[in-house]
Amino acid sequence: MQYVEPSRHRVDLRGGQLLAASGSYEKKLKDLDGLYADTAAFAAAVESHGEEIVYRVTDRKPESAHGDLIFGVTRMEPGRIGDEFYMTRGHIHARANRPETYYGEAGEGLMLLESPEGETRIVEIGERIVCYVPPFWIHRSINIGDNPLVMSFCYPADAGQDYDVIHRSGGMRSRILAEGSGWREVPNADYRPRGPGDIAAILATADQ
Ligand code: ZN
């Protein structure tokens, strides 16, 4: 039996990254088309700073997905498009019954969660807060603070990501808007609830 070697990884808070990671990716502002209600504000922002990196993920992925874990660190810059904060594209796991944890390392954020049937939950994340994303919840993180939001995360290596699930329903059911120094939740006017077929298709991805 050839065992995988244990490893040790420091979370670099200032850089918002996992050291000794095996991979990384980043999303620039121009990559986040379609997320924001204020399309004119988005277009203007892309024009002026479309190359800005909004979030970067560093992670450690195993060579074989079966039964293993992926873990890493995400760092999201503070910022707004119109009244909406910088946020991730969001996803549901391709095998939708796979869960995830997020741990607040620095900054202030929200995890916006939505069930296939369209129920919404919001989990506030700060330093030393663990957010549990249970099986079958669509999830998106949002930086509601003035500083980078840094979180570490962990999920099953065979989870995969379906990023299109949000696009297919016209966005998530709720939008989070800046209000004063805080935030408020408002309905997304473009949202189209999933039908029974769409919901069944999500549920059918479990345990494949
Ligand atoms: Zn996830």
Side-chain angles (χ1 to χ4, degrees):
M1 177 75 184
Q2 188 69 38
Y3 297 108
V4 175
E5 280 299 313
S7 57
R8 179 175 187 269
H9 305 262
R10 187 177 300 279
V11 174
D12 167 20
L13 270 189
R14 189 170 301 176
Q17 60 182 334
L18 183 77
L19 301 184
S22 64
S24 69
Y25 67 90
E26 59 195 29
K27 287 282 175 235
K28 296 179 175 178
L29 185 59
K30 66 179 185 184
D31 300 326
L32 300 178
D33 191 23
L35 266 57
Y36 292 97
D38 191 339
T39 52
F42 178 77
V46 168
E47 187 78 16
S48 73
H49 50 282
E51 295 295 323
E52 179 189 352
I53 294 169
V54 174
Y55 59 95
R56 173 181 281 139
V57 174
T58 47
D59 58 14
R60 199 264 194 195
K61 288 188 168 139
E63 290 169 21
S64 168
H66 183 72
D68 210 333
L69 295 170
I70 293 172
F71 59 93
V73 172
T74 172
R75 171 192 163 120
M76 187 174 358
E77 301 306 313
R80 292 182 195 172
I81 301 295
D83 291 334
E84 288 183 275
F85 299 102
Y86 278 6
M87 58 178 139
T88 59
R89 289 173 64 199
H91 60 265
I92 193 166
H93 292 152
R95 288 173 175 154
N97 65 330
R98 301 309 196 252
E100 185 160 7
T101 59
Y102 286 83
Y103 177 77
E105 305 275 5
E108 299 170 82
L110 301 178
M111 190 65 67
L112 176 62
L113 302 108
E114 181 179 303
S115 71
E117 288 81 357
E119 283 197 58
T120 294
R121 301 285 186 275
I122 297 172
V123 175
E124 296 188 84
I125 295 176
E127 287 178 32
R128 296 184 300 284
I129 299 293
V130 177
C131 170
Y132 171 50
V133 177
F136 297 110
W137 287 84
I138 297 163
H139 45 288
R140 156 180 287 167
S141 50
I142 302 168
N143 185 351
I144 59 168
D146 298 323
N147 297 296
L149 173 65
V150 181
M151 296 183 290
S152 50
F153 59 82
C154 187
Y155 59 93
D158 64 356
Q161 284 95 5
D162 174 0
Y163 292 104
D164 195 50
V165 67
I166 294 174
H167 176 70
R168 291 195 299 270
S169 60
M172 293 184 76
R173 186 172 191 164
S174 291
R175 292 188 182 277
I176 304 298
L177 304 186
E179 185 170 69
S181 59
W183 57 273
R184 69 188 169 109
E185 177 187 6
V186 299
N188 169 18
D190 299 324
Y191 181 73
R192 301 182 298 274
R194 288 168 207 87
D198 299 324
I199 295 169
I202 289 173
L203 300 183
T205 65
D207 286 319
Q208 286 177 5

